[in-house]
Amino acid sequence: MSPSVQTQNIFAGQALLPDGWRDNVRLCSDAHGFFTSVEADRQPRPEDRRVDIALPPMPSLHSHAFQRAMAGLTETRLNPTDSFWSWRGQMYRLAAAIDPDTLRAIAAQLYVEMLKAGYTQVAEFHYLHCAPDGRPYAQPAEMPLAVIDAAQQAGIGMTMLPALYRHAGFGRPLAPEQGRFASSPEFLARVITDITARHASNPLVNAGVALHSLRAASGDDIREMLRLVPEDMPVHIHIAEQMKEVEDCVAFLGRRPVAWLLDEMPVDDRWCLVHATHMDHDETVRLARSGAVAGICPITEANLGDGFFPFSDYVDAGGRFGIGSDSNVLLNVAEELRTLEYGQRLISQKRCRALPSGQTGSVGNYLYSQALRGGTQACGHNGGMLAAGQRADLCTLSGSNLSLPGLRGDTILDSLVFARATLPISDVLCGGQWVVRDGHHMHEERIATEFHKAITTLHSDRSSLS
Ligand code: NGQ
Ligand code: ZN
């Protein structure tokens, strides 16, 4: 336990509890970093820390931390045919240069920025397993342990998802530039066991398993991987992000990716299907009914030109979803949700799309509450609600930072999602520790200094990623 985790008594004028917005909420947490009581309609006590608004923070259910080091560096057109795949070539050139210390420095900076943006849990979809020359590290978990170390420095909750990666594409051997990603189910099972053993009693660290994609892992690989890890572990997979993957999958496996996965694998509420952009109606409804979470990454999907997730059909069928910051080109909870909603409005030429058909209510509240629920399920961690027994995470906002004075209840989330550029967060509590106060992270100067050093070295021998 961190020495800075202390008992907390917080009194919020308004707070978003599991059953909705409540007034005069007293939240108490213990020295282990868990809420012991959360009660509405109370009186403040002298020892309470008074705040206007308390929100449960959002998980980012999908992140590749190292990609933060190329934010803004791939927005120059190098070729008239630039696409997801040419971006991926640039990303591989960056990946080739990342060693454990560089990764630690980049990830720590990213996690400070995430906490300041209102994320207190991040699921790291991690596939840089081997050294830059493609040889395994002496310590197989070297790279994921560097990422976890970064999370601990920043004080963010971490779901580490080491990813199985064996093929360049359906049935094709890895390309030389993918040598770092090479991993077998046995190797990953060892890494996951090591991580869970080291962090068994740490409420800020848990693990799951990732399958990079149906392009990179065969049915047999996936079955073997699932056999080797605990049955309750989260399982994440990239799927159907680009039409090329759908076409290649139909050519190789005779079915579309999501249909194939739902037919062949035990997809249930352990699973998170990241992107799932290109689904037909049948796949959309089946995924919604499976209990799995769709890991939608609206900002990155827009940035990479992926397409639109079939959101309306999916929520109509009861589908669960969360949001991921993915490439980490921009960290902004409000903008992720806004981008998702505005995409639907632009396609349908209608307004207020997110809610299931026939339902009325606040779009901001629906998007925020559902993404929080789905993200928490996908991370498999012990938080996500302002309620007794949950990990003590919250963020505080001042009423004076909303778009209009005097906002109450659901209109607060409508204001935050649609009328503020970013969530105007002042303080963030994660696992009972105040990691952000008045907009400043407790270690932001030290972590930024290390980040600047790492980035300077990383980019010193290249003027671009081309
Ligand atoms: C990734 N990112 O693993 O970082 C992927 C690109 C791939 C996104 N899909 C690589 N957004 O899918 O092959
Ligand atoms: Zn990804």
Side-chain angles (χ1 to χ4, degrees):
M1 198 193 324
S2 161
S4 38
V5 177
Q6 287 160 1
T7 58
Q8 306 288 346
N9 300 298
I10 300 159
F11 187 86
Q14 300 184 73
L16 182 61
L17 302 193
D19 57 352
W21 284 95
R22 302 293 300 271
D23 290 341
N24 300 325
V25 179
R26 231 181 146 244
L27 306 104
C28 302
S29 67
D30 63 20
H32 302 281
F34 288 87
F35 287 122
T36 48
S37 68
V38 176
E39 295 169 324
D41 307 318
R42 298 283 131 171
Q43 294 292 324
R45 298 203 196 149
E47 69 270 26
D48 290 352
R49 184 185 178 111
R50 308 276 292 258
V51 306
D52 284 352
I53 297 164
L55 263 185
M58 187 64 71
S60 171
L61 57 58
H62 189 71
S63 161
H64 306 284
F66 75 91
Q67 293 174 15
R68 172 66 184 80
M70 63 193 270
L73 294 186
T74 62
E75 310 303 331
T76 299
R77 185 192 280 178
L78 302 174
N79 192 302
T81 59
D82 275 350
S83 68
F84 173 90
W85 305 100
S86 56
W87 168 84
R88 191 177 77 155
Q90 294 178 291
M91 183 271 278
Y92 280 5
R93 284 186 276 285
L94 172 74
I98 307 275
D99 64 19
D101 289 340
T102 314
L103 182 58
R104 183 182 292 104
I106 297 167
Q109 173 69 20
L110 171 69
Y111 299 151
V112 165
E113 293 171 7
M114 279 191 178
L115 287 165
K116 290 166 73 169
Y119 293 109
T120 55
Q121 184 74 22
V122 54
E124 246 331 285
F125 195 109
H126 174 83
Y127 58 93
L128 299 183
H129 301 303
C130 300
D133 64 8
R135 274 185 289 196
Y137 288 101
Q139 155 59 274
E142 179 89 29
M143 292 289 266
L145 288 174
V147 175
I148 294 169
D149 187 39
Q152 309 245 262
Q153 284 182 40
I156 197 169
M158 155 79 33
T159 301
M160 172 49 67
L161 306 164
L164 182 64
Y165 204 122
R166 297 196 108 171
H167 303 281
F170 293 93
R172 289 190 286 119
L174 289 179
E177 66 272 21
Q178 296 170 321
R180 297 199 72 179
F181 317 158
S183 43
S184 66
E186 297 70 33
F187 169 87
L188 291 178
R190 271 210 309 281
V191 167
I192 290 167
T193 306
D194 186 13
I195 290 167
T196 45
R198 283 170 194 254
H199 293 283
S201 59
N202 187 341
L204 287 174
V205 180
N206 71 326
V209 64
L211 314 159
H212 184 274
S213 54
L214 295 182
R215 292 175 268 127
S218 72
D220 285 345
D221 294 333
I222 294 173
R223 277 183 274 271
E224 180 63 3
M225 187 74 253
L226 295 178
R227 202 179 62 74
L228 293 175
V229 294
E231 272 181 11
D232 56 351
M233 243 181 195
V235 183
H236 289 221
I237 183 169
H238 287 131
I239 197 153
E241 182 180 11
Q242 286 276 320
M243 277 310 296
K244 180 173 166 20
E245 174 179 319
V246 178
E247 289 154 10
D248 290 355
C249 188
V250 170
F252 192 76
L253 295 173
R255 272 167 284 172
R256 300 168 60 88
V258 173
W260 186 91
L261 193 80
L262 292 168
D263 288 345
E264 302 295 329
M265 297 296 158
V267 176
D268 62 9
D269 57 10
R270 287 170 78 188
W271 287 68
C272 175
L273 277 66
V274 180
H275 309 304
T277 312
H278 299 286
M279 295 192 285
D280 63 21
H281 187 74
D282 190 52
E283 288 174 301
T284 305
V285 171
R286 288 181 64 200
L287 177 60
R289 292 185 182 154
S290 72
V293 172
I296 311 175
C297 308
I299 292 175
T300 297
E301 288 160 11
N303 185 273
L304 298 180
D306 289 339
F308 290 104
F309 180 87
F311 193 71
S312 297
D313 288 349
Y314 185 71
V315 296
D316 278 354
R320 302 175 186 181
F321 66 93
I323 54 167
S325 55
D326 192 357
S327 65
N328 300 309
V329 61
L330 178 68
L331 298 166
N332 187 330
V333 173
E335 190 155 329
E336 296 287 5
L337 299 174
R338 189 158 62 223
T339 301
L340 181 58
E341 169 67 16
Y342 282 171
Q344 302 303 311
R345 292 189 190 188
L346 290 163
I347 288 176
S348 66
Q349 303 180 31
K350 296 195 177 107
R351 296 193 72 250
C352 303
R353 301 307 299 154
L355 295 107
S357 310
Q359 218 169 292
T360 55
S362 155
V363 176
N365 182 62
Y366 182 82
L367 286 168
Y368 195 93
S369 303
Q370 296 300 316
L372 174 61
R373 218 170 118 193
T376 304
Q377 176 180 319
C379 291
H381 71 297
N382 49 10
M385 287 188 282
L386 303 183
Q390 295 269 300
R391 196 175 75 198
D393 290 15
L394 63 73
C395 44
T396 75
L397 308 155
S398 154
S400 62
N401 288 333
L402 299 174
S403 53
L404 294 168
L407 296 181
R408 297 187 46 76
D410 289 350
T411 56
I412 294 173
L413 281 166
D414 288 334
S415 166
L416 291 174
V417 173
F418 294 104
R420 299 284 80 185
T422 58
L423 299 186
I425 288 170
S426 45
D427 297 356
V428 179
L429 184 75
C430 182
Q433 183 178 20
W434 288 106
V435 288
V436 175
R437 285 177 194 255
D438 294 327
H440 295 286
H441 183 274
M442 57 182 181
H443 301 312
E444 65 182 20
E445 284 85 10
R446 174 169 64 71
I447 288 173
T449 304
E450 291 303 310
F451 178 65
H452 288 161
K453 274 196 251 165
I455 289 294
T456 309
T457 315
L458 190 63
H459 292 313
S460 63
D461 55 352
R462 71 193 72 200
S463 53
S464 77
L465 300 162
S466 53

